[in-house]
Amino acid sequence: MNKVIGERFLECIAHEQSQDTELTARLLESLPLSQLVAKGLAINHLTLQNVRSGLAGRLYMELGPDTAIDQEIIRGDVRNGDLVVIRPSSAKKDAFSCEGVVTKCSEKCITIAVDEAQEKDALNLYGSSRLYLLKTTNTITYKRMQSTLRKLCEFDGVPQNEVMQYLLDAPVFTPNTQPLKLDFFNPDLNTSQKKAIEFSLQNRISIIHGPPGTGKTHTVVELVRQLYNKGQRVLVCGPSNIAVDTILERLAKVMPGESLLRIGHPARLLENNLSHSLEVLSKSGDAGAITKDISKEIDDNIASIKKLKSYKERKEQWKEVKELRKELKLREKKVISDLVLSARVVVSTLHGSSARELVDCYKHTDHIFDTLIIDEVSQSLEPQCWIPLIAHYKSNMQKLVLAGDDKQLPPTIKTEDNSRVKNTLSTTLFDRLVKKYGDSFRNLLDTQYRMNSEIMEFSSLKMYGGKLKAADSVATWTLVDLPATECDENTEVPLIWYDTQAGDFPERAEDQDNGTLISSKYNENEALLALHHVTHLIDSNVPQEGIGIISPYSAQVAFLKKTVHPRYPLVEISTVDGFQGREKEVIILSLVRSNEKFEVGFLSDKRRLNVAMTRPKKQLCVIGNMETLERSGIEYLKDWVRWSEEHSEIRYPDLSEIL
Ligand SMILES: Nc1ncnc2c1ncn2[C@@H]1O[C@H](COP(=O)(O)OP(=O)(O)OP(=O)(O)O)[C@@H](O)[C@H]1O
């Protein structure tokens, strides 16, 4: 069984990686630099201003604007944590380059952390007067999944560990549902949250199913505290840095002074969590003193390398730095294993959970963790979930808790040309286990604390079997409850639908860029209508920051930004994917599709729409063509239109008022 699962995933991941790399490469190679800059995928006109040694002995390159051309760096979509390649502007695309991670990004300076293997290339860039930077595909994540799956294939027979048996075999699962006499730390937990925690404490595997706003993070935090209180050591993982940082931030608030440790590149962590970072802790305080002197010596050596003119001289000096690094590494290893083994809660991404710093500790002990919690499991590929399970197999973990919602966005999959690969990868561990064991180990959190009950109702009926309830504190709130907001026809209603079927609201297709990009759709008049509604809301004193505009189409997001941001720069505009896990007082949802063939594209994805319609707290305003949706042949969309006709305030926009 292990081999079957492992090999099937290995094949799918190899396919996915080739699709991903091909797509990025096609984009990077076929588009000229100017277009890559325009798309936010590259930054041009940079100069290398400084190179210094940073956290954990990495080299940090500081790039500034080439002031002969630009006074400020045009950052595009480059963000902290992105993997990038830096090349000399004069060189060909395959010329020498250097790869690193963005650790700081402002208009004045971009800092790139470079790993040891890349350092020579980084220093060679000193000779180039102008540089450019490209965002690239992260191959490390694929490598981690592949080496994990290879190890999974090597396992022989039925594993000893019971958690693994549930995942790989199919033993009968008889849930223990006996009530537990627990003292909860958080007195406000609701019944479904308490039940989910009790269940997780009593069973080897469990799922905390958290629909939007139902306090999944709240529940996971209480669970970690309960486990900690029982003397357990817990590993908390998730697919993204932001997912696990949100939990760590909350844990740090309720468990001040306790040993919480965050694994991962400090550039990718929330600032508030840096004080828990393994890298930061190993460099500061008593632990840092052990390695400080030697780090300084390395820095001095690097500083002198910069002044050397010839490549040969630089190479010689480089050797010396390498020797010093070896010594530094030995000392660091000791510091790091001491920190890991004294921590009781370790937080990391799924990929980061196999970090050498953690795995090396098995040289000192056979057991580090008792429980593994995977948050946002529905956004994680199953091969990603195997990373902590295999990396910490030696720990013989007693418990696996999965938290997520299978009715929100699935993990992003690039494969389009192979439905078997696509289906295999889009089936998450959550889905597979529910299929295997039914609902017996799934605990639904049933009370949401975000939305007015009318906003919640369609989602509850269609996606959660009508089981969701709105907490009393939010059930009837509207925009009028915001301080200073006036009560009028635009603020007192929770559901508005601007039905565009009678007006002139045609969808358009973005030009295809040399056939390299999937063309996206946009709808200019919908964007103008969104601006019209935003203006009304702001006139009624709804703060800009409380307003979000969502569209499933990236071309529409770009068009909305152009239309709305010159007047209202603080209104947040994003794709559905960019809004997952977030909320706003009011959400305007621009559906875009309006055509005579009744084609709906992305809108047919229930989970994407479910995320979109569950982001607002007090008002959901939909802009879309009801006829296109109703006649699309998609049952869910038909139901939504019918339900909305009964429950929303339907408006027929007059274009002459808007234009
Ligand atoms: N038992 C509770 N009593 C009162 N408020 C609660 C309770 N549980 C959660 N909340 C509130 O509900 C909101 C959502 O909680 P939380 O962020 O934990 O949910 P989530 O399910 O992780 O959210 P998301 O929908 O983003 O996944 C927060 O404002 C939180 O304070």
Side-chain angles (χ1 to χ4, degrees):
M1 187 68 184
N2 324 342
K3 217 169 167 192
V4 177
I5 292 184
E7 281 177 356
R8 192 177 62 220
F9 278 133
L10 262 176
E11 184 205 326
C12 293
I13 289 296
H15 187 89
E16 173 75 359
Q17 179 176 12
S18 72
Q19 291 276 295
D20 190 6
T21 317
E22 210 179 288
L23 200 77
T24 315
R26 247 190 7 230
L27 208 64
L28 295 185
E29 294 307 320
S30 62
L31 296 184
L33 187 57
S34 57
Q35 274 199 44
L36 292 171
V37 171
K39 290 199 170 294
L41 297 171
I43 305 178
N44 201 2
H45 310 313
L46 295 169
T47 56
L48 182 56
Q49 300 190 329
N50 190 23
V51 175
R52 61 180 168 83
S53 156
L55 286 166
R58 285 195 178 92
L59 202 71
Y60 279 49
M61 302 169 67
E62 290 171 353
L63 305 168
D66 180 351
T67 46
I69 301 175
D70 291 320
Q71 292 310 303
E72 287 191 343
I73 296 171
I74 299 157
R75 288 185 291 166
D77 282 340
V78 177
R79 304 265 178 281
N80 278 6
D82 281 348
L83 202 70
V84 293
V85 167
I86 305 151
R87 288 186 183 139
S89 300
S90 53
K92 289 192 188 124
K93 280 187 173 174
D94 57 354
F96 75 97
S97 57
C98 160
E99 235 179 58
V101 174
V102 179
T103 67
K104 208 176 120 194
C105 191
S106 71
E107 275 77 24
K108 294 285 168 218
C109 179
I110 295 185
T111 309
I112 315 287
V114 177
D115 280 339
E116 211 182 315
Q118 298 274 323
E119 284 174 344
K120 269 189 230 162
D121 292 328
L123 290 170
N124 279 336
L125 290 174
Y126 254 118
S128 314
S129 55
R130 264 178 211 161
L131 304 168
Y132 68 94
L133 169 158
L134 291 175
K135 277 176 75 153
T136 63
T137 321
N138 193 339
T139 53
I140 304 159
T141 56
Y142 288 109
K143 280 190 188 143
R144 290 236 165 118
M145 281 191 272
Q146 282 159 341
S147 72
T148 295
L149 294 168
R150 266 183 228 113
K151 283 182 194 145
L152 179 61
C153 292
E154 283 162 17
F155 275 172
D156 254 349
V158 180
Q160 296 268 302
N161 179 274
E162 274 190 57
V163 168
M164 290 291 232
Q165 286 174 14
Y166 281 117
L167 300 182
L168 292 168
D169 241 36
V172 177
F173 181 70
T174 319
N176 178 354
T177 51
Q178 291 289 311
L180 260 183
K181 275 220 155 88
L182 268 189
D183 285 330
F184 289 99
F185 292 97
N186 179 349
D188 300 328
L189 293 170
N190 65 46
T191 309
S192 65
Q193 292 169 332
K194 286 181 184 166
K195 216 181 117 225
I197 292 163
E198 286 173 353
F199 188 95
S200 299
L201 290 172
Q202 282 174 298
N203 289 278
R204 290 258 186 252
I205 55 166
S206 56
I207 289 187
I208 299 174
H209 180 190
T214 52
K216 180 168 58 60
T217 312
H218 235 57
T219 310
V220 169
V221 165
E222 175 74 22
L223 176 64
V224 172
R225 294 177 83 184
Q226 291 291 342
L227 292 164
Y228 188 96
N229 201 36
K230 284 161 138 277
Q232 285 211 12
R233 305 188 79 231
V234 187
L235 175 60
V236 184
C237 294
S240 63
N241 283 295
I242 189 67
V244 291
D245 264 345
T246 308
I247 297 180
L248 179 56
E249 244 184 349
R250 304 240 195 124
L251 281 172
K253 261 190 207 142
V254 293
M255 298 169 74
E258 303 295 354
S259 48
L260 310 172
L261 195 64
R262 174 71 159 93
I263 312 296
H265 199 306
R268 293 182 159 149
L269 313 192
L270 286 184
E271 207 167 325
N272 280 350
N273 288 338
L274 279 176
S275 57
H276 300 287
S277 152
L278 175 62
E279 279 205 28
V280 172
L281 288 169
S282 69
K283 295 280 149 196
S284 51
D286 292 346
I290 301 171
T291 54
K292 208 170 177 182
D293 292 351
I294 199 159
S295 286
K296 170 142 185 2
E297 215 179 323
I298 293 172
D299 263 1
D300 293 345
N301 269 277
I302 290 176
S304 64
I305 290 177
K306 288 181 212 163
K307 290 175 196 143
L308 297 176
K309 290 265 177 326
S310 83
Y311 176 71
K312 209 171 163 192
E313 284 173 315
R314 288 204 294 263
K315 202 174 162 186
E316 278 304 305
Q317 191 102 356
W318 199 239
K319 259 190 198 159
E320 206 164 307
V321 171
K322 280 227 154 128
E323 285 306 311
L324 287 167
R325 281 255 158 87
K326 266 190 203 153
E327 171 62 22
L328 177 66
K329 274 199 176 144
L330 283 178
R331 293 193 202 177
E332 274 181 350
K333 272 189 179 165
K334 168 87 179 80
V335 166
I336 282 170
S337 63
D338 287 351
L339 283 167
V340 171
L341 295 174
S342 64
R344 297 259 306 280
V345 178
V346 174
V347 177
S348 103
T349 59
L350 289 160
H351 288 107
S353 65
S354 67
R356 208 188 47 226
E357 293 88 337
L358 286 182
V359 178
D360 274 357
C361 291
Y362 289 105
K363 288 178 190 152
H364 310 286
T365 174
D366 269 351
H367 180 89
I368 310 183
F369 299 113
D370 301 288
T371 291
L372 169 64
I373 300 178
I374 302 182
D375 191 24
E376 302 296 4
V377 67
S378 300
Q379 281 181 63
S380 316
L381 297 170
E382 181 169 340
Q384 287 178 304
C385 297
W386 278 102
I387 297 173
L389 287 160
I390 297 291
H392 300 285
Y393 184 69
K394 255 194 159 178
S395 269
N396 194 20
M397 263 191 266
Q398 298 306 300
K399 207 179 274 305
L400 170 66
V401 182
L402 307 175
D405 180 13
D406 56 345
K407 307 296 183 201
Q408 296 188 54
L409 285 174
T412 310
I413 294 159
K414 300 273 167 53
T415 297
E416 286 295 340
D417 64 344
N418 184 327
S419 56
R420 193 176 58 84
V421 170
K422 210 174 162 182
N423 290 340
T424 305
L425 291 181
S426 58
T427 304
T428 64
L429 189 57
F430 185 135
D431 304 332
R432 192 163 70 80
L433 293 183
V434 167
K435 204 166 159 204
K436 209 165 173 179
Y437 300 112
D439 279 342
S440 58
F441 71 121
R442 180 211 302 240
N443 288 278
L444 178 79
L445 307 182
D446 64 9
T447 309
Q448 63 83 17
Y449 298 84
R450 172 180 298 154
M451 294 161 268
N452 175 301
S453 60
E454 289 183 44
I455 299 175
M456 172 203 76
E457 202 179 311
F458 182 74
S459 167
S460 172
L461 280 174
K462 282 286 153 189
M463 304 300 268
Y464 305 102
K467 289 185 184 146
L468 270 193
K469 296 178 267 192
D472 291 345
S473 52
V474 304
T476 56
W477 67 11
T478 60
L479 293 172
V480 178
D481 293 304
L482 290 172
T485 298
E486 284 162 25
C487 177
D488 57 38
E489 54 174 17
N490 290 304
T491 55
E492 64 184 354
V493 243
L495 289 168
I496 298 174
W497 189 311
Y498 285 98
D499 179 12
T500 62
Q501 65 175 300
D504 183 21
F505 287 81
E507 68 179 45
R508 294 187 201 285
E510 193 187 39
D511 285 347
Q512 292 207 235
D513 297 274
N514 310 332
T516 53
L517 293 172
I518 304 152
S519 113
S520 182
K521 305 259 187 275
Y522 65 103
N523 188 321
E524 289 166 294
N525 286 346
E526 277 197 13
L528 292 171
L529 186 51
L531 173 65
H532 179 75
H533 192 66
V534 168
T535 306
H536 278 312
L537 293 174
I538 287 174
D539 288 349
S540 310
N541 288 336
V542 176
Q544 283 192 46
E545 297 89 329
I547 305 174
I549 311 182
I550 300 185
S551 177
Y553 289 92
S554 56
Q556 180 71 347
V557 168
F559 196 78
L560 280 160
K561 283 184 180 169
K562 256 198 250 164
T563 312
V564 177
H565 276 165
R567 278 171 70 186
Y568 306 115
L570 302 180
V571 169
E572 205 172 326
I573 304 171
S574 174
T575 56
V576 184
D577 305 50
F579 255 108
Q580 170 129 317
R582 313 269 321 282
E583 60 184 26
K584 285 279 173 186
E585 300 297 342
V586 42
I587 288 286
I588 301 169
L589 175 57
S590 169
L591 297 177
V592 175
R593 304 312 301 262
S594 178
N595 57 72
E596 282 166 9
K597 289 188 184 158
F598 313 115
E599 286 172 354
V600 288
F602 272 160
L603 304 183
S604 60
D605 181 348
K606 276 193 213 184
R607 293 192 285 187
R608 183 167 270 111
L609 264 190
N610 188 43
V611 171
M613 65 177 77
T614 54
R615 299 306 97 195
K617 293 160 83 171
K618 301 185 171 100
Q619 182 178 91
L620 171 65
C621 168
V622 182
I623 302 178
N625 184 328
M626 282 184 149
E627 191 192 14
T628 302
L629 266 59
E630 200 179 10
R631 297 181 64 182
S632 64
I634 312 256
E635 211 50 40
Y636 175 80
L637 293 178
K638 231 187 209 177
D639 290 347
W640 187 31
V641 169
R642 288 190 188 148
W643 184 90
S644 298
E645 276 168 347
E646 254 179 65
H647 295 85
S648 296
E649 181 175 305
I650 311 286
R651 296 181 179 179
Y652 298 99
D654 180 352
L655 263 182
S656 62
E657 270 179 31
I658 298 158
L659 297 173

